Amino acid sequence: MKIGIVGCGKRFINVYFPILEKLNHELFVWNRSSHKSQEFCKDKKCNVVTSLESFKNILPDLILCFIPSQYQYDILNCLQDLNCNILLETPANDKRILSLQNIGILEQWPKLPLEQFKNLIYVADLISRPYMVFNDGRSFDYHAIAQLRTQLRFPLPAYIKGSTNVFNNPGIIDASGKINLTPHDWTTGQIEMSNGSLLLYNFSYNCKSLLSIPIQFIRSYSTNGSIVTGRMKEIGNDYEFIDIRYQDKSTKEIKVCEITLERKDNVTFSLSLKKENITWVNPYGILQFDDQQTAIATIIDDAIKGTVYSYNNAYIDYACMQMIKTSGQQQQVIKVS
């Protein structure tokens, strides 16, 4: 497939190019500095694009944009005549872009292997869509909101309440054996959605380095079951915790699922509930893609097929996070109009 690249900075070069190279897509690279795009492409299987107008002749199947926020709207507007999806790097914080067509966002967190596996469970109707989701230190900022709203199927926020609290740290020995005196700086938020579902957010950038808080969770509660996933932090160890329970439709008994995880060297090959006949298989496992790379490859292939995480949804995620922070500062509930 033909993929247009708009902007070839460090994010594209270090994160995205190694993935695209392995996927064998034909790349057409434009940069505001033509010298930089020529320098990048000279020893790679890439084509230099000298102007944005040239994309009309190339007819790409997808365009990926890695451009500073102050240039995004004008450049995206120039690409509106192309009959393909355009994916923009996060964050989605420019209201003007909402008026443009076919704009998606490169939001990786809802496409991580574990999140794709959860979606399969919901689609199979083993467990109904949750009425409450709770991020407890596992994911951060608007990425966490995207992760949780995806499980809820993107309801709009109705009321938002947030708080920011700093707690003194008496001195805790961290993984390196040093005494960590970093304060706990927590941001918490509660979002009541327009459909009555509830999103809870709790995160501190300090918590991941403290052995006193060894595990971070995402909890999803449904009327007939629950999915709890997390990451345990120990000295020299970092692994996933998964607990899935559901009410059997015929016997009404609560069953605890037996989960099979095939993972090696940071590559998740498969996740399955064999008794329930639900299996997620990583189509990029043969390429040795880690979880982030798998999420990115999934986003790219989905966008080529026509499915994107819309800029509109990503804008709502970003706005929700900002309103959590504003509510905490003003110490009042925000009613979303």
Side-chain angles (χ1 to χ4, degrees), residues 12 27 58 82 89 112 120 127-130 137 141-142 181 190 198 217 224 237 242 244 256 266 286 288 308:
F12 165 68
L27 303 183
I58 295 167
L82 299 175
E89 182 65 298
L112 293 169
L120 281 183
I127 298 174
S128 60
R129 288 284 172 182
D141 215 273
Y142 54 86
L181 297 173
Q190 175 178 315
L198 189 64
F217 283 111
N224 64 336
N237 200 1
I242 310 172
I244 301 173
V256 180
N266 294 321
I286 193 171
Q288 296 293 304
V308 301

Side-chain angles (χ1 to χ4, degrees), residues 55-56 59-63 79-86 102 304:
F55 282 118
K56 295 178 182 179
L59 298 176
D61 299 285
L62 176 69
I63 288 185
L79 300 172
Q80 280 292 279
D81 290 338
L82 299 175
N83 188 28
C84 69
N85 282 315
I86 302 170
N102 301 324
I304 290 172

